Amino acid sequence: MAYRETEHTRAKKAHTRQRLLKAARDLVAEGGFAAATAAAVAQRSEVAAGSIYRHFPNKAELVAEVFRYATEHEVGMVYQATQTDSSCAERLLAGLTVFARRALEGPRLAYALIAEPVDPRVEQERLKYRLAYAEIFEDLIRDGMAAGEFAQQQPALTAAALVGMLAESLIGPLFLRRDKASALQPIDDPQQLISELNALCLRTVGATHH
Amino acid sequence: MAYRETEHTRAKKAHTRQRLLKAARDLVAEGGFAAATAAAVAQRSEVAAGSIYRHFPNKAELVAEVFRYATEHEVGMVYQATQTDSSCAERLLAGLTVFARRALEGPRLAYALIAEPVDPRVEQERLKYRLAYAEIFEDLIRDGMAAGEFAQQQPALTAAALVGMLAESLIGPLFLRRDKASALQPIDDPQQLISELNALCLRTVGATHH
């Protein structure tokens, strides 16, 4: 049944694809990747279940695309927050604060993107995602060292450390344990947590005059 | 075929179980959890393949036991290194150095324990594992604050941050990327990396006179 795609057919197809991606992203934000089944995505986007695989070769590819779609937005927000004329310390804190606020306001999506066990195909995307944050931090640390604002250090190492620090304390297993109470403080004051994290990151990069 | 276990039968069973666990741990250290299949464990331990499930109800339970077996040893080594009469900063660095050295010398096992995607049943064990490290750090941070050695901070938050920092920079995705070269430095000098990490952690806890 090969036939020539018309302009109209192509536009319609692109539109459906966007609807599928958006529906899948909303499902992930509500219930993690486990909730983004093909059937649920079809229902949510009001697309016939059988037609999903006309847009994505398979489930793994759909999930990988949703991952890219969601993470490009997240990384973009953090990057944008750091692109100001302020000091490197201020720029670092601005990026960190956007990351933390988004994670605290949308914990299910943040967990899905950073830590939820996923298909190996998606793990590859996640590696790029964590790396994208590390690169933003690495550039800032390099600038801060050059400006004499931060301690001398190996920027790539500190950048990886910052990503791990944020992931673990805001999203990862130890945050989840915090959520379930026990010995740790509940997060009844997100602003307080963000202030603590700011101080932690400034110490980590060795900010000299802040 | 119920029968009364004799003393001898029980001892033999316990011995076989130990052999299975040790063989599984060695396989994980060589090829990750993916390599610890029931067939491989049976072959390595010279136990008849069919008898493995007399010792462990299923594969997930075998893997979870191997995880506990391996991690108790790792956590014990780090804990022991911190139990000295030195300053809190020295004790923190001693624990950190043991963790880092073991991760750099046995990267496959370290990756398997900290980050390799595993069965949800094992994820529960991993949570306890990361938490065990966090608790060692949390106690040290509390002691260091009381002694005026470290900055005032929320010890549980910094402890989670340190675990994330070590995991990401020594074992996690960003470390793996480093391994594959590209823009980051190769780790041709583990001692240098450990020194950098020491400095990073001292800054993170706000060590005042070190």
Side-chain angles (χ1 to χ4, degrees), chain A residues 33-121:
Chain A
F33 283 109
T37 61
V41 172
Q43 196 189 12
R44 179 75 156 240
S45 55
E46 294 175 1
V47 164
S51 79
I52 281 199
Y53 295 116
R54 253 186 263 154
H55 299 274
F56 304 96
N58 51 51
K59 165 98 200 274
E61 198 52 46
L62 166 64
V63 172
E65 282 262 8
V66 174
F67 194 91
R68 276 193 291 273
Y69 176 81
T71 55
E72 275 168 18
H73 182 67
E74 297 299 319
V75 169
M77 301 282 283
V78 169
Y79 178 73
Q80 198 186 332
T82 65
Q83 299 304 298
T84 65
D85 289 335
S86 313
S87 69
C88 294
E90 291 293 350
R91 293 167 60 204
L92 180 63
L93 295 190
L96 164 72
T97 300
V98 166
F99 181 94
R101 196 163 285 150
R102 292 188 66 79
L104 294 171
E105 284 168 6
R108 198 65 197 74
L109 181 64
Y111 173 72
L113 297 181
I114 282 277
E116 183 182 338
V118 287
D119 188 279
R121 175 78 188 67

Side-chain angles (χ1 to χ4, degrees), chain A residues 127 130-131 134 153-154 156-158 160-161 164-165 168-169 173-174 177-178 184 193 196 200 203-206, chain B residues 127 130-131 134-135 153-154 156-158 160-161 164-165 168-169 173-174 177-178 184 193 196 200 203-206:
Chain A
L127 172 52
R130 294 180 85 121
L131 193 53
Q153 58 203 289
Q154 210 190 79
L157 180 67
T158 307
M165 177 182 271
E168 193 82 18
S169 57
L174 298 187
R177 182 220 174 200
R178 179 192 309 267
L184 294 178
L193 174 61
E196 293 269 359
L200 197 58
R203 291 200 304 267
T204 298
V205 299
Chain B
L127 172 51
R130 294 179 87 121
L131 193 53
E135 283 172 351
Q153 57 203 288
Q154 210 192 77
L157 180 67
T158 308
M165 177 183 270
E168 192 83 17
S169 58
L174 298 187
R177 184 222 172 197
R178 178 192 308 269
L184 294 178
L193 175 60
E196 294 269 1
L200 196 57
R203 289 200 305 267
T204 298
V205 298

